[in-house]
């Protein structure tokens, strides 16, 4: 499932995440929270990371665009 965890945005928010290195994008729903000490903005589910092409790298620089609460 195309989901992500984030401490900043409300649960149920849809966001477009773009890998800045290769330009690939995916739309995910924020469905979980990160550990409070985690400094990352967003943590993607493995399926979403695969679509963006950085599963083997572990971390990647991405651009996050908030789409809103309604499913796009």
């Amino acid at each position: 499932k195309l989901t992500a965890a984030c401490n900043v945005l409300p649960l149920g928010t849809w966001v477009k995440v773009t890998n800045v290195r290769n330009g690939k994008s995916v739309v995910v729903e924020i469905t979980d929270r990160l550990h409070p000490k985690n400094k990352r903005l967003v943590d993607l589910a493995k399926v979403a990371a695969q679509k963006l092409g950085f599963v083997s790298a572990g971390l990647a620089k991405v651009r996050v665009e908030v789409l809103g609460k309604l499913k796009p």
Side-chain angles (χ1 to χ4, degrees), residues 1-2 12-15 27-29 67-72:
K1 189 173 175 185
L2 297 176
T13 301
W14 290 88
V15 295
V27 175
V28 297
E29 181 181 13
L67 301 177
K69 290 288 236 177
L70 298 177
K71 186 175 181 178

Side-chain angles (χ1 to χ4, degrees), residues 7-8 34-43:
N7 286 339
V8 179
L34 297 167
H35 188 277
K37 292 184 180 180
N38 193 327
K39 301 273 192 245
R40 295 184 197 133
L41 176 62
V42 65
D43 185 15

Side-chain angles (χ1 to χ4, degrees), residues 17-32:
V17 181
T18 304
N19 183 339
V20 296
R21 176 171 253 181
N22 63 17
K24 292 182 180 181
S25 297
V26 67
V27 175
V28 297
E29 181 181 13
I30 304 298
T31 59
D32 203 1

